[in-house]
Structure formats: structure tokens, C-alpha cells
Amino acid sequence: MKVVVDKSRCQDHGQCVFAAPDVFRLDDQGRLVHAEDVDESVRDEVEDAADVCPVQAIRIED
């Protein structure tokens, strides 16, 4: 499954990091970094991350 973050919308709030820490993290400058191709086993976490994103910048592509 592919995780897509719209960087033009993302404001680095970091809520996704709490929801799916195996997929999302903030770098040393506080900018969001994420894994793009992830295992299906983390789908629920990524869906939670997409739900809590305040700007709805995260989507999943199968």
C-alpha cells in the first residue's frame, strides 16, 4: 500500500506521528518524513493518521 502526503497542504502538525509512528516522523527541522510503500499490516494506523490530520493531507493508494 502506498502512503501519499500532499506536501502543499501538510503543515507539520505531527498528529500522524502519534497515530502511526512506524510510518511518520518529524525530522530534526520539524518537517514531516514518511514511508511511502508500507506493509498492509499498518493500514489501521495509517487510516487513523489520515483521520486525525487537521488539514487532511494524507491518503492511501492501494
Side-chain angles (χ1 to χ4, degrees):
M1 132 181 119
K2 184 173 182 179
V3 178
V4 179
V5 175
D6 182 342
K7 295 292 189 172
S8 69
R9 296 184 77 174
C10 178
Q11 298 176 1
D12 302 312
H13 291 286
Q15 296 302 306
C16 55
V17 176
F18 297 108
D22 293 328
V23 179
F24 301 95
R25 68 177 178 84
L26 296 176
D27 68 13
D28 292 339
Q29 289 80 38
R31 303 292 303 183
L32 182 69
V33 178
H34 72 287
E36 291 185 16
D37 293 310
V38 298
D39 190 77
E40 190 69 32
S41 65
V42 295
R43 179 179 285 274
D44 287 344
E45 293 176 12
V46 175
E47 287 176 350
D48 289 346
D51 288 343
V52 299
C53 179
V55 295
Q56 299 296 291
I58 302 168
R59 74 177 190 277
I60 298 170
E61 294 178 355
D62 293 310

